[in-house]
Amino acid sequence: MEAPKFLKIPAPPYGRRFAISDVHGCLQTLKALVWQHIKLQPEDQLFFLGDYIDRGPASAGVIDFIIDLQAKGYPVYALRGNHEQTLLSDYEMHDKKRFEVVMTKFKKTPDLLNEMGEINLRYLEFIRGLPYYIDTGDFYLVHAGFDFGEEEPFEEWEAMLWIRQFPPRLSDLQILAMLDQPKRIIHGHTPNSIEDIISKAKNKALILPIDNGCVFGGASRGKFSDNDLGRLCALNLDTFEVLMQERLEDMG
């Protein structure tokens, strides 16, 4: 059966709601954020906005963590990111030998493979089942964003994984206003400075980025200075509080 393209998830009756994006294999950082800062409870909802794999040291561990939370009954929902989509494309494009090289040499994710050098079916099935966005009633949650320049922005699946043109133009705001109800968009994919993330959350901006480039912290990078990046963030969707954990992994 084909995986759903999107999910509608209403708010829980009692619990809180949090969104996290772009973990990129930083399992220890993720665990610290979830258990020490969020202090996740069974009645809470936790949304992951994609990019669980690549770059960091524990891609398989991050997926295992999400699957295990779901198995324990936590209301945890995971979206597809461009890195998950790229894995699927590589898997479909390459033969077994070439795919193993891509995963071990280029992606540095041998932990996603089994002892025969094939992708572990547990991870393949997880990734294949990931939807592109979630509608909570008051938010759209998506990995990268939506292309409101297109006639059907909620069917432009590639844009949801790759687009970087935020914030939207005024015409885009008008399009949002024409929907059944205006909703804020929470997204990852494009790293933003921690100051920008906190400021936009505090001001309850229409477009709220939550990717602080966890795997990129510790040194200046492009327009960012040393302290701009390097944290994994969780946005409380009800209070707009930003919780954060500095990267704990040694990237080598």
Side-chain angles (χ1 to χ4, degrees), residues 1-5 80 84-85 87-88 91-92 119 121-132:
M1 187 174 65
E2 186 178 356
K5 299 290 188 181
R80 182 180 305 225
E84 286 75 48
Q85 185 62 50
L87 182 147
L88 291 178
Y91 178 75
E92 294 169 1
I119 188 168
L121 289 180
R122 171 183 172 91
Y123 306 133
L124 183 61
E125 291 173 0
F126 171 82
I127 292 171
R128 280 177 167 168
L130 296 173
Y132 290 87

Side-chain angles (χ1 to χ4, degrees), residues 46-251:
L46 181 57
F47 300 96
F48 288 97
L49 308 192
D51 280 7
Y52 316 106
I53 64 173
D54 300 340
R55 295 179 174 151
S59 294
V62 170
I63 295 178
D64 285 334
F65 181 74
I66 295 171
I67 293 175
D68 291 346
L69 284 176
Q70 293 171 332
K72 291 175 181 176
Y74 286 90
V76 172
Y77 307 93
L79 291 176
R80 182 180 305 225
N82 60 296
H83 281 255
E84 286 75 48
Q85 185 62 50
T86 299
L87 182 147
L88 291 178
S89 298
D90 288 336
Y91 178 75
E92 294 169 1
M93 182 188 310
H94 301 303
D95 60 26
K96 175 183 177 296
K97 183 176 181 181
R98 177 60 181 171
F99 180 72
E100 183 177 3
V101 170
V102 169
M103 295 292 286
T104 56
K105 301 296 184 182
F106 298 105
K107 302 290 186 180
K108 295 182 171 58
T109 53
D111 53 337
L112 295 175
L113 305 178
N114 60 25
E115 62 277 3
M116 295 178 288
E118 301 170 340
I119 188 168
N120 190 309
L121 289 180
R122 171 183 172 91
Y123 306 133
L124 183 61
E125 291 173 0
F126 171 82
I127 292 171
R128 280 177 167 168
L130 296 173
Y132 290 87
Y133 75 94
I134 291 173
D135 179 353
T136 69
D138 51 352
F139 292 98
Y140 288 121
L141 309 179
V142 65
H143 177 64
F146 300 100
D147 186 352
F148 290 106
E150 294 293 331
E151 187 173 339
E152 298 291 344
F154 293 97
E155 295 181 8
E156 294 294 329
W157 313 114
E158 185 174 350
M160 296 177 196
L161 303 176
W162 293 98
I163 196 169
R164 294 191 188 274
Q165 299 302 315
F166 280 100
R169 301 177 304 279
L170 179 61
S171 59
D172 298 336
L173 299 179
Q174 293 170 340
I175 291 173
L176 283 176
M178 292 169 60
L179 299 174
D180 54 348
Q181 70 177 90
K183 302 174 188 179
R184 290 179 174 84
I185 296 172
I186 313 297
H187 74 94
H189 184 55
T190 301
N192 282 251
S193 72
I194 193 62
E195 291 82 4
D196 284 346
I197 291 173
I198 293 173
S199 174
K200 289 178 180 177
K202 182 179 179 180
N203 293 319
K204 299 181 181 179
L206 182 65
I207 308 296
L208 290 167
I210 60 172
D211 178 13
N212 186 233
C214 180
V215 293
F216 298 133
S220 60
R221 180 182 176 88
K223 65 179 180 179
F224 299 106
S225 63
D226 290 0
N227 296 320
D228 285 342
L229 305 178
R231 303 162 191 84
L232 192 62
C233 296
L235 177 67
N236 186 315
L237 303 186
D238 301 299
T239 67
F240 292 88
E241 179 186 10
V242 178
L243 304 177
M244 66 194 81
Q245 171 64 53
E246 291 192 9
R247 190 187 69 221
L248 298 176
E249 281 77 10
D250 180 1
M251 303 304 290

Side-chain angles (χ1 to χ4, degrees), residues 20 23 26-35 48 62 65 232:
I20 299 171
V23 181
C26 294
L27 177 61
Q28 296 309 312
T29 305
L30 174 60
K31 286 183 174 180
L33 180 62
V34 169
W35 298 128
F48 288 97
V62 170
F65 181 74
L232 192 62

